[in-house]
Structures are given as C-alpha cells and as structure tokens.
Amino acid sequence: MTGLPDSLADFGPAAFAAVVVAGYLVVGEPVVGHVLHRRFEDRMRTDARARRSFYLRLLVLEWGLSLLVLVVFLAAPDVDAGQVGLRWPQAWPGWITSAACLLLLAFVVVSTRALRSGALAAAAPAPTGRHGEPPVQSTVALLPRSGAERRLFAVVGVTAGVCEEWLYRGFFLAVVAAVAPGLPSGVLVVVAAVAFGAAHAYQGAGGVLLTGVLGGVFAALYLQTGSLLLPVLLHAAVDLRFLLVPTAALPPLGPRVRPGGDTRGDQHDSVGPPE
C-alpha cells in the first residue's frame, strides 16, 4: 500500500472538515440510511411513486456528499489526486485479492441467474409487519418494477459505483491513513469493510456482513492498484445486476392501504412484465 497521506497536516486548513466528513460516514450515514429506509417502507404502502422518489433522494445525497468531499480535497494543499485514487491503476492486485475479485464476479453471475429464475418470488413469506400488513423488506422493496424505475435505477447503480468508492475508499481511507499514519494495509481493509457494512445497517445482520465483505474486497483492490477505477467498475456491476431480473421474478409487495381504508394493489408491484 503506497501513496496515501502521511499526516493530517497534509489536508492543511481542510483537515477539520475532512475528519468531520469521515466521522459522518462512520456514524451519521448508518443513522441517516436507517431513517430514510424506514420512511421509504412506510410510504411504499400508500404511494406508487415512493420508489422513484427514493432513488432521487439517494442521487441527491450521494452526489451532494461526493461534491462536498471534492471541495475538501481541493482545499487540501498537500494531497494530490493519486493519494485519493484518482489515477489509472499503478499495479496488478495480489493473487489473494485477484481470487476474491473472481469469486465476487462468480457471485454476481450465480446470484443473477438465481434471481432471474424467481428465487425471490418463490421465497417463503416472512411474518407480517406492524398493523398486520405484509412486510416490506428493504432490499426487495428497492428493486425496480417499471420501465421508468429501471432507467432511474441504472443511474443509481452507476452513482453508487462512482460516489461510494470515492467516499469510502478514496477519501475515507486517505483520512484514516492521515489520522493514524503507518497502519498496515490489512488494517485499512478491515476499517473500510466495517465502515461500509455499518452504512448498510438497514439491511439487517446479513446485509451488513455481505456489504462489509464487498467493502473489504473493494478496499483491497483499491489499495493494491492505487486506483479507484477497478473498484468502481466492480461495484457498479454488483448493483446493476438487478436490472437483469425481470419483474415477473420479483415478489409482489402486497396491497396498499389508501386513505379512507381502501385497499388496492399497486401496478408497480404487480408480477407482470416490465414496461
């Protein structure tokens, strides 16, 4: 691992802002993510536009944070683009990281095939949620149903690959290395994995574990290549695989309770073909 800042002094007058934003990624982002997803799940029961609205909020949040971090980086006098991964790959990853990336690609292929075959739709229903309505599971509820949602989800997937790698690998690891100089790359990988997994706490223990592993693989790939390029591409591929899952392979989210007690299905949650 080379090229990361050696001291917080490298950030100059932007040092305080860098630490605050990095702290938000660790502490604030899990809380904000939980609140946004709970509100989304509640809104899904009454508003057919909830999913598109949530996608737009994610885009605003991720690009807003990324632009803020860009300003902090530009204000740091002694931190260059290469120290935050904004360059072409400088080396090949080690064999362990390469094997992990191959396993991740295999996971993308196998999981996509399973999802396309209707694994989600065939899954046993979970216990009902509060007020007796069918539960809205975070990861399933977020998957696009209509053509318009799929187009917007594609933008969200690319945004996640670009912005989250910039935030959690390029910027966050640079701040950690500056605050605690001399940390071995293995420790940085673990720190990146924990922070990224915690940001997905709304997905439950399984989601935290899975995203934590992904975050660790992305961090190892970044640290060994010195570039965010490969992590961005791999991250985007993981998210965009859901676009290959037809609507018919997704479970319906159940009826919505309209104002006045009228219960109706939602056309966007039907099991018909996508638009």
Side-chain angles (χ1 to χ4, degrees), residues 27 119 194:
V27 179
V194 171

Side-chain angles (χ1 to χ4, degrees), residues 228-269:
L228 291 174
L229 178 60
L230 295 181
V232 164
L233 295 177
L234 192 56
H235 191 152
V238 169
D239 287 355
L240 292 176
R241 79 188 192 278
F242 292 110
L243 291 176
L244 300 177
V245 181
T247 302
L250 298 176
L253 296 182
R256 307 293 172 80
V257 179
R258 309 287 182 176
D262 182 18
T263 303
R264 305 173 186 172
D266 181 358
Q267 61 180 343
H268 296 288
D269 296 328

Side-chain angles (χ1 to χ4, degrees), residues 68 76 93 128 168 183 187 224 234 246 250 253:
L68 175 61
T128 57
Y168 282 92
L183 284 179
V187 174
Q224 293 181 11
L234 192 56
L250 298 176
L253 296 182

Side-chain angles (χ1 to χ4, degrees), residues 93-108:
W95 70 270
I96 295 179
T97 301
S98 298
C101 291
L102 290 176
L103 288 174
L104 180 54
L105 289 174
F107 164 76
V108 169

